[in-house]
Amino acid sequence: METKKLRKLYFRLSFLVLFATIGSLFGCDDSSDNSTPVTGEKEETPSENNNSGSATKAKYVFLFIGDGMSNAQISAADLFQASIAEQQDEDYINSPNSLTMTTFPATGFATTHDAGTYITDSASAATAMACGYKTLSGVLSMDVSRTTSYKTIAEAAKENGMKVGIITSVSLDHATPASFYAHQPSRNSFYEIGMELASSGFDYFGGGGFCESKYSGENKNQPVCRDAAIAAGYSFVNSRSQFDALSQESGKVLAINSILDSSSALPYELVRDKSEGSSDISLAEYTEKGIELLENESGFFMMVEGGKIDWACHANDAYSSIQDTIAFDNAVAEAVEFYNRYPEETLIVVTGDHECGGLSIGYSGTRYSTYFSRMRNQTMSFDVFDGTYGDLSEVSSLSELYSAIDSAFGFNLSGGGDSDMDLSEYDMEQLQEAFDAQKSGKDSNMTGDEFYDLYGGYRPLSVTLTHILNRKSGLAWTSYSHTGVPVPVFAKGAGAEDFNGYYDNTDICKKMSAAMGLSFIQ
């Protein structure tokens, strides 16, 4: 027994001597300092230094916010594209993941309640993501007392030498984009918000215009905020040729689409002019141009909002929402193309601020079936149809609109069309009731609550038409407003792994800030 113990001890000692010899040969080169400092303190690793799971600080950061976008909106757009691909290729297996955002390696969920309600508005939701703090609905980057301003991640990025871009498909003074540069007790202070834009010093604003028609009181006749931005040194462009000519030599840029709707927003993607050389610039093009203008050695922060996803969902117009979600995803694809050039230094985060409309994929009338391709029959967004057929004073009967309705929504009211698009007796009763309600105005036989439940404050005819088309496609709605469900968060790049899990929307700001190495949240 003693002999065996001695042999074991001999082999252990031999191994230690061999290990020490190897270490002396390969581990003590004085020409390279690989030693740990003897300071008594733990040496910081790169990931610990920037408080992120990423070993490299995020130098180029994109935050994409689909306003009103949650799982149902994303899935509807995803499945719509899958259904179209199946029709085009008989060998195609109808599976999702056609959207760029859904292919990101990190996926989480964020709660969206604000400081006063379970169902947030866009101002408080965007404040949470821009500042890392909860506030009340309607408040922009200020605390619940509406007296203290919060610094935004965009402002912190600018202070740290990064360039900053703000892009949106709605007006630039709307709640979501405004939360990144303005500090106002009310999101409706459009003039004050616009003036803060002009004085922000940010490098690039692109997309919609300003809600000048909503300026009130003593500011109603003041110079427009666009002029204030120009006076502050911004190059203002609102044509395709001017936009295409922009370069880094252009300095600070304010690029507003030449084609805007009545709310100073870009047209819905469904009706946007997509012809070659059109002056109607897409959200993806604004994003691509922003990358060109902002790229620099110090990095940049860019917020891109798909704002009209929300507006379409408020009106329960599923196909307009789907098309704007796809347009939003095309903008995400532009960021991914940039990421492919700098994968170690780029972070892309995609999320929504809240869900809108209570959209569901599944309708009782179609049981388990969906018919997404039927939505392709719709050629007009609800607002364009309203602009053409909202005034029924010269229309004596619903039948006079049959041809126009068939053209706009693909129904077979006039006969001779697709039988799948025939309307049932129930559909026709609803359509007639909507026509009568719209023609007579809100002083119809319905009570206020009944009118709202049916039409949500929108034109009865267009809402009823989108409802019928949605149901035929296998989709349904529960609301004309926001809901309180969580929103998905997709992330790719430096620090992306930190966005896995289930957390609050204020943590989106904190996680981005950590990845960027910013310390501005107290």
Side-chain angles (χ1 to χ4, degrees):
M1 291 292 293
E2 292 297 326
T3 303
K4 288 183 178 180
K5 288 181 179 179
L6 288 171
R7 284 178 180 173
K8 287 182 179 179
L9 179 61
Y10 172 79
F11 281 116
R12 288 175 181 172
L13 290 171
S14 299
F15 176 78
L16 290 172
V17 171
L18 177 63
F19 182 80
T21 303
I22 293 172
S24 67
L25 289 173
F26 298 104
C28 299
D29 184 358
D30 290 337
S31 64
S32 62
D33 183 13
N34 293 321
S35 60
T36 301
V38 252
T39 60
E41 297 179 0
K42 180 183 175 183
E43 184 184 16
E44 287 187 333
T45 65
S47 62
E48 291 167 334
N49 188 46
N50 65 20
N51 298 317
S52 169
S54 170
T56 306
K57 186 172 77 171
K59 180 176 177 180
Y60 308 107
V61 179
F62 298 85
L63 173 60
F64 288 88
I65 301 175
D67 202 310
M69 184 187 79
S70 188
N71 287 326
Q73 285 75 15
I74 294 169
S75 295
D78 212 4
L79 294 169
F80 168 78
Q81 293 208 129
S83 70
I84 299 308
E86 183 183 45
Q87 287 189 338
Q88 294 172 346
D89 181 357
E90 61 183 11
D91 296 323
Y92 180 83
I93 298 174
N94 191 8
S95 61
N97 291 331
S98 62
L99 297 178
T100 298
M101 69 180 96
T102 61
T103 66
F104 281 16
T107 304
F109 282 93
T111 53
T112 62
H113 62 278
D114 67 21
T117 177
Y118 287 119
I119 301 177
T120 187
D121 88 320
S122 292
S124 54
T127 295
M129 290 185 280
C131 307
Y133 293 99
K134 295 288 190 185
T135 193
L136 299 173
S137 289
V139 178
L140 296 174
S141 300
M142 299 185 76
D143 69 356
V144 294
S145 71
R146 299 181 176 88
T147 58
T148 301
S149 295
Y150 294 131
K151 181 178 292 185
T152 75
I153 190 170
E155 292 170 328
K158 186 65 179 173
E159 288 178 0
N160 278 265
M162 302 173 76
K163 290 190 175 183
V164 175
I166 304 294
I167 302 167
T168 180
S169 62
V170 296
S171 63
L172 287 163
D173 52 10
H174 217 260
T176 300
S179 293
F180 288 83
Y181 64 80
H183 310 81
Q184 294 293 329
S186 172
R187 60 180 288 177
N188 295 322
S189 300
F190 290 102
Y191 178 83
E192 290 78 8
I193 292 168
M195 295 304 288
E196 285 200 70
L197 180 152
S199 63
S200 67
F202 290 0
D203 302 274
Y204 176 60
F205 289 94
F210 296 96
C211 291
E212 296 166 10
S213 63
K214 296 185 179 180
Y215 297 167
S216 60
E218 62 182 11
N219 298 317
K220 188 170 184 177
N221 298 316
Q222 293 294 316
V224 295
C225 296
R226 180 198 64 201
D227 294 340
I230 293 171
Y234 282 87
S235 297
F236 172 69
V237 302
N238 70 335
S239 72
R240 165 67 69 176
S241 59
Q242 292 173 326
F243 180 79
D244 290 343
L246 288 170
S247 67
Q248 290 202 342
E249 286 67 47
S250 302
K252 297 184 297 183
V253 170
L254 172 61
I256 294 177
N257 207 42
S258 62
I259 302 174
L260 300 174
D261 67 14
S262 60
S263 298
S264 298
L266 274 60
Y268 282 105
E269 184 67 13
L270 175 59
V271 296
R272 185 176 66 83
D273 182 358
K274 304 175 185 66
S275 60
E276 185 72 25
S278 167
S279 57
D280 206 350
I281 301 169
S282 70
L283 192 66
E285 290 176 302
Y286 277 110
T287 304
E288 180 185 26
K289 179 61 72 173
I291 292 170
E292 177 188 343
L293 298 179
L294 298 180
E295 184 178 352
N296 73 102
E297 283 302 313
S298 298
F300 63 71
F301 172 84
M302 184 188 298
M303 192 288 296
V304 182
E305 182 202 19
K308 294 189 79 167
I309 300 170
D310 177 69
W311 293 10
C313 290
H314 274 290
N316 290 181
D317 185 345
Y319 193 42
S320 290
S321 168
I322 285 172
Q323 288 298 313
D324 264 55
T325 301
I326 294 170
F328 174 74
D329 191 67
N330 290 339
V332 174
E334 293 293 337
V336 171
E337 186 173 328
F338 177 84
Y339 161 88
N340 290 334
R341 291 163 51 199
Y342 306 103
E344 299 299 322
E345 300 176 294
T346 303
L347 171 63
I348 309 172
V349 180
V350 184
T351 189
D353 56 351
H354 52 72
E355 198 276 339
C356 184
L359 176 63
S360 68
I361 298 174
Y363 169 64
S364 60
T366 58
R367 307 301 192 271
Y368 292 108
S369 297
T370 55
Y371 306 95
F372 282 93
S373 61
R374 290 178 180 174
M375 283 186 287
R376 297 179 75 187
N377 291 294
Q378 185 176 337
T379 61
M380 290 185 185
S381 54
F382 76 94
D383 61 331
V384 173
F385 184 85
D386 284 344
T388 308
Y389 304 106
D391 182 6
L392 300 179
S393 60
E394 302 298 321
V395 182
S396 58
S397 67
L398 177 62
S399 60
E400 293 179 36
L401 296 178
Y402 281 0
S403 178
I405 290 171
D406 289 351
S407 176
F409 294 95
F411 296 134
N412 192 25
L413 293 172
S414 303
D418 186 350
S419 61
D420 287 338
M421 300 303 288
D422 289 344
L423 268 61
S424 67
E425 184 178 343
Y426 173 67
D427 292 334
M428 289 303 301
E429 288 175 356
Q430 286 197 313
L431 203 55
Q432 185 64 58
E433 186 176 57
F435 176 84
D436 293 340
Q438 186 164 321
K439 189 167 176 59
S440 62
K442 293 187 178 182
D443 296 327
S444 63
N445 293 328
M446 289 180 283
T447 66
D449 288 343
E450 183 183 1
F451 193 96
Y452 184 83
D453 285 345
L454 287 172
Y455 311 122
Y458 290 89
R459 293 281 176 82
L461 193 56
S462 61
V463 169
T464 302
L465 288 166
T466 56
H467 279 175
I468 293 172
L469 180 59
N470 296 168
R471 295 197 301 258
K472 280 185 168 292
S473 304
L475 302 176
W477 304 87
T478 66
S479 175
Y480 296 99
S481 192
H482 302 173
T483 67
V485 301
V487 294
V489 184
F490 306 105
K492 183 182 183 75
E497 60 273 19
D498 289 347
F499 291 85
N500 287 311
Y502 190 86
Y503 40 83
D504 189 65
N505 57 1
T506 54
D507 291 320
I508 295 174
C509 181
K510 295 169 186 175
K511 292 173 187 293
M512 286 191 303
S513 301
M516 297 165 71
L518 300 177
S519 301
F520 70 97
I521 303 173
Q522 300 302 317

